[in-house]
Amino acid sequence: MEPEIQMSGPVCLIENTKGQLVVNPEALKILSAITQPLVVVAIVGLYRTGKSYLMNQLAGKNKGFSVGSTVQSHTKGIWMWCVPHPVKTNHTLVLLDTEGLGDVEKGDKNNDTQIFALAILLSSVFVYNTMNKIDQRAIDLLYYVIELSNLLRTLSSPDLDEVDDAADFVSFYPDLVWTLRDFYLSLQADGEFITADDYLENSLRPKQDTDQNLQNFNLPRLCIQKFFPIKKCFIFDLPTHQKKLTQLETLNNDELDPDFVQQVADFCHYIFHYSKIKTLSGGIKVNGPYLESLVLTYVNAINSGDLPCMDNSVLVLAQIKNLAAVKKAIAHYDQQMSQKVQLPVETLLELLDLHSASEIEAMEVFMKNSFKDVDQRFQKELKTLLKAKQDDLCKQNLEASSDYCSALLRNIFGPLEEDVKRGIYSKPGGHRLFIQKTEELKAKYYREPRKGIQAEETLQKYLQSKESVSNTILQTDLALTAREKEMEEARIKAEAAKAEAQKLEEIQRQNEEMMQQRERLHREQVRQMEINRANFLLQRQRDLKRRLQEEAAKKAERMQAESRRLQIEIQQLQRVAPPDETCILL
């Protein structure tokens, strides 16, 4: 496939005119036409240190970016050259050559740092070109601009701030290639030879000490280590004799120092084979329109005046660092509270205790990451923000408690409300049953845990809203009860009259029974008397008969006795009388 665009030479992408950055529409038009993924290589360094020469070599040309041969800086703003990637098929290599830092004619440090920050933010490979060796000044400047680029990125693209995923982090930030020009030191450490990469790592290694005074030494190194996970170092000897440096563009390789030629070749090989595609957070691969959007976004953010003034680098660095420290402390507070707090919290004291614990941790995070917080201005600002967080959390807790309790009341009292609608309590005694059921449901509500501090107030508001319902039930109850009372009184009277009639009937029945019983008793007495009289008469008859029988028996006995006496006398007479006489007697 043919490359999407052919540029015979570089064009100005961002022009620096009297301290104002202006985007070149012609360059944007070129970018908008490139749909291939971009590998963006940007170079930054002091003016007159050979940056443009290296960029020309990456473009495969000796001429293109203005090299310059005087003490006057040639490159103003940022120049762009888009060429087909020499290794990656269907990719475009975008080379960004920047205005040299430290130009005494410019007299505006703000432009230096703005151009520096833009180069970092726009590139996927950032080349930091310095002279001779890695020193503290170069490290501090890189650290300072990293903080500025972080601030610029946050101001212009809030959604891209705080990349959490490690892989996402590595893909978003550029690789660092540190180039050391006219290197004169011996690559040795502890008597042993080391590589250029070892030299870079040793230079960026923080000291293992807890002394607070080492913060100025360790902080920049830790920041650079984190911001640039992938780092590479190249050293370059002097290209040729000092007098021929002004003719560097026209010299052939055989006229240059062989070591320098090989060093440049190694540099280009690394860029071509190991440079990565410019990628945004979320793994979005940047093409021309994406890069166009980034350029406009960052330049507009700079021109809006949101960035701090760069006159005092220490104060500005402190401001940037402390703003970041405040933000990191707030983020830590939010993270801790989101993990610890589940709204609604039962009591205000519990919520304040959780806030206090997270506030202490947030202050510790701030103290660990702050830098020269003069008069504790940022610490006070953090306290103000945390106080606002606390107030907002208390408000959220009130709302969460109220919402939860309202939903809970609807769930608990819903069946009761349905019963009221169906008229279950529209009856005599219904109000008492309604109040009894309400008390049961209130007890159930009180037993539910984690209702929060609005539990009682929400309950009382609910009960007050239902007072009219209770009053209606009461009035219905009273009316129905009065009617029922009247009906009951009438029933009682009717039952009393009926009972009285029944009583009279019973008395009459009892009287009749008594009369009947008396009559029966009288008849029984008469009959008994008759029986007694009959028995008496019968007994008398029996007695008379018995007397008669006894008298007859006695008479018979007397007669028998008399007969026996006569017989005895006869016998006696017979024994003494003569037979004749006896016969006569016979």
Side-chain angles (χ1 to χ4, degrees):
M1 179 180 292
E2 292 294 326
E4 291 192 346
I5 191 167
Q6 293 285 351
M7 292 179 62
S8 59
V11 297
C12 184
L13 174 63
I14 301 172
E15 185 178 0
N16 184 6
T17 305
K18 296 181 180 180
Q20 185 71 16
L21 301 182
V22 180
V23 181
N24 181 13
E26 179 185 351
L28 295 182
K29 184 178 180 181
I30 294 173
L31 285 177
S32 65
I34 303 176
T35 60
Q36 294 178 346
L38 303 182
V39 176
V40 185
V41 181
I43 190 167
V44 169
L46 295 174
Y47 81 108
R48 302 302 302 115
T49 56
K51 302 188 308 302
S52 299
Y53 177 82
L54 288 179
M55 300 304 280
N56 288 335
Q57 296 301 308
L58 289 176
K61 305 291 183 180
N62 285 333
K63 293 183 179 181
F65 292 110
S66 177
V67 175
S69 58
T70 67
V71 295
Q72 186 178 24
S73 174
H74 276 216
T75 306
K76 297 297 182 182
I78 299 179
W79 285 68
M80 177 185 74
W81 197 351
C82 301
V83 298
H85 198 287
V87 174
K88 298 179 186 292
T89 306
N90 298 328
H91 288 65
T92 298
L93 179 64
V94 179
L95 304 174
L96 300 179
D97 189 17
T98 64
E99 179 177 344
L101 306 177
D103 185 357
V104 293
E105 294 182 4
K106 183 166 55 177
D108 188 353
K109 295 181 180 179
N110 283 334
N111 281 140
D112 281 355
T113 52
Q114 290 168 359
I115 295 294
F116 201 150
L118 282 172
I120 290 178
L121 291 169
L122 297 176
S123 64
S124 58
V125 178
F126 175 71
V127 182
Y128 189 28
N129 194 64
T130 63
M131 294 297 293
N132 307 133
K133 63 179 180 178
I134 299 175
D135 56 19
Q136 187 64 36
R137 178 180 175 278
I139 291 175
D140 287 341
L141 178 59
L142 179 58
Y143 163 59
Y144 172 53
V145 178
I146 288 173
E147 295 290 357
L148 177 63
S149 64
N150 271 328
L151 178 60
L152 177 59
R153 186 171 61 91
T154 302
L155 291 172
S156 57
S157 304
D159 293 340
L160 299 180
D161 188 46
E162 294 297 333
V163 182
D164 294 326
D165 185 75
D168 208 15
F169 182 92
V170 171
S171 65
F172 178 79
Y173 291 107
D175 296 345
L176 172 64
V177 176
W178 198 314
T179 55
L180 294 169
R181 311 302 295 274
D182 302 345
F183 187 74
Y184 61 84
L185 298 177
S186 176
L187 284 177
Q188 290 187 3
D190 299 328
E192 295 184 0
F193 287 101
I194 60 175
T195 65
D197 291 338
D198 294 334
Y199 173 57
L200 176 60
E201 290 297 330
N202 291 340
S203 300
L204 296 179
R205 183 176 295 117
K207 294 182 179 180
Q208 300 299 320
D209 200 326
T210 58
D211 188 353
Q212 188 66 25
N213 294 328
L214 289 177
Q215 184 183 39
N216 292 340
F217 181 87
N218 286 340
L219 198 58
R221 288 164 170 78
L222 292 172
C223 176
I224 294 171
Q225 293 275 16
K226 179 180 179 181
F227 193 88
F228 296 109
I230 299 177
K231 296 175 287 296
K232 183 69 176 177
C233 182
F234 289 94
I235 61 172
F236 297 89
D237 294 335
L238 192 66
T240 185
H241 192 275
Q242 188 73 33
K243 292 181 180 181
K244 292 184 178 182
L245 288 178
T246 58
Q247 307 168 11
L248 193 58
E249 284 183 330
T250 61
L251 296 178
N252 296 321
N253 285 345
D254 55 3
E255 298 178 86
L256 299 175
D257 184 279
D259 289 339
F260 175 78
V261 173
Q262 183 59 47
Q263 291 161 353
V264 172
D266 292 341
F267 168 76
C268 292
H269 181 273
Y270 177 83
I271 296 296
F272 293 154
H273 288 82
Y274 298 100
S275 56
K276 63 185 180 182
I277 300 170
K278 174 66 177 175
T279 307
L280 299 181
S281 178
I284 300 174
K285 294 182 179 181
V286 173
N287 56 16
Y290 271 121
L291 186 60
E292 175 189 9
S293 177
L294 289 178
V295 170
L296 291 173
T297 299
Y298 292 138
V299 171
N300 289 337
I302 291 174
N303 291 335
S304 66
D306 291 335
L307 290 179
C309 177
M310 305 300 169
D311 292 340
N312 188 326
S313 61
V314 175
L315 291 180
V316 173
L317 181 59
Q319 182 179 3
I320 295 172
K321 189 65 181 176
N322 290 331
L323 282 172
V326 169
K327 187 174 182 180
K328 185 173 292 186
I330 291 295
H332 181 80
Y333 172 86
D334 289 340
Q335 180 188 23
Q336 291 299 308
M337 292 301 285
S338 66
Q339 293 175 354
K340 296 176 182 177
V341 177
Q342 182 180 357
L343 297 179
V345 177
E346 196 68 27
T347 65
L348 179 60
L349 179 60
E350 179 184 353
L351 181 63
L352 294 179
D353 287 343
L354 293 172
H355 163 78
S356 297
S358 298
E359 182 181 33
I360 292 173
E361 292 186 18
M363 294 303 298
E364 291 175 352
V365 170
F366 171 79
M367 298 302 296
K368 181 179 179 181
N369 293 277
S370 63
F371 179 71
K372 293 185 181 299
D373 185 15
V374 180
D375 298 330
Q376 297 184 336
R377 180 168 70 90
F378 289 93
Q379 184 175 345
K380 293 175 183 176
E381 179 182 346
L382 174 59
K383 289 182 178 179
T384 301
L385 292 174
L386 291 174
K387 180 60 169 62
K389 289 275 186 181
Q390 174 189 324
D391 295 341
D392 183 62
L393 196 60
C394 290
K395 181 180 178 182
Q396 291 182 34
N397 189 48
L398 286 174
E399 294 175 352
S401 175
S402 179
D403 293 343
Y404 177 77
C405 291
S406 297
L408 183 61
L409 287 170
R410 287 193 297 270
N411 183 52
I412 292 177
F413 283 83
L416 177 62
E417 294 180 6
E418 291 298 323
D419 288 344
V420 171
K421 291 179 181 178
R422 294 202 307 269
I424 300 297
Y425 299 98
S426 298
K427 61 183 180 181
H431 186 259
R432 178 182 58 80
L433 296 176
F434 176 79
I435 295 299
Q436 180 180 349
K437 188 63 176 180
T438 299
E439 292 299 320
E440 292 176 2
L441 296 180
K442 282 170 60 179
K444 181 179 179 181
Y445 172 79
Y446 282 127
R447 289 194 297 270
E448 289 292 329
R450 300 195 64 81
K451 295 184 292 294
I453 59 180
Q454 288 293 95
E456 186 62 30
E457 182 176 345
T458 305
L459 174 62
Q460 295 306 320
K461 286 182 179 179
Y462 175 81
L463 294 178
Q464 290 174 6
S465 69
K466 300 302 177 183
E467 283 185 355
S468 60
V469 175
S470 177
N471 292 334
T472 301
I473 293 175
L474 177 59
Q475 295 303 320
T476 303
D477 186 357
L478 293 175
L480 294 176
T481 301
R483 182 180 175 186
E484 187 179 62
K485 185 176 181 181
E486 293 176 358
M487 294 175 64
E488 182 67 16
E489 289 176 352
R491 184 186 63 78
I492 291 174
K493 288 181 180 180
E495 289 182 354
K498 182 178 180 181
E500 185 66 21
Q502 291 177 347
K503 183 177 180 181
L504 292 175
E505 290 179 0
E506 180 67 20
I507 291 173
Q508 184 177 359
R509 185 184 62 78
Q510 290 178 357
N511 289 337
E512 290 177 354
E513 288 181 353
M514 288 176 63
M515 292 296 293
Q516 292 175 358
Q517 186 174 2
R518 287 177 181 176
E519 186 177 352
R520 286 194 302 271
L521 181 60
H522 176 70
R523 288 197 300 270
E524 182 68 24
Q525 289 176 344
V526 171
R527 189 177 68 82
Q528 189 65 37
M529 289 175 63
E530 290 177 350
I531 291 172
N532 291 340
R533 184 172 178 275
N535 290 334
F536 176 73
L537 293 175
L538 181 61
Q539 186 64 34
R540 287 186 63 185
Q541 184 179 4
R542 288 174 179 172
D543 291 343
L544 178 60
K545 183 179 181 179
R546 181 179 53 78
R547 284 194 303 270
L548 291 175
Q549 287 176 349
E550 289 177 353
E551 289 178 356
K554 289 180 180 180
K555 186 177 180 180
E557 287 178 357
R558 283 193 305 270
M559 288 178 69
Q560 287 177 358
E562 184 64 26
S563 175
R564 283 190 302 267
R565 186 184 64 79
L566 290 176
Q567 286 177 358
I568 294 171
E569 287 180 358
I570 290 171
Q571 291 173 357
Q572 288 175 354
L573 288 176
Q574 287 174 352
R575 282 189 304 258
V576 291
D580 292 339
E581 291 178 4
T582 304
C583 295
I584 298 167
L585 290 172
L586 290 171

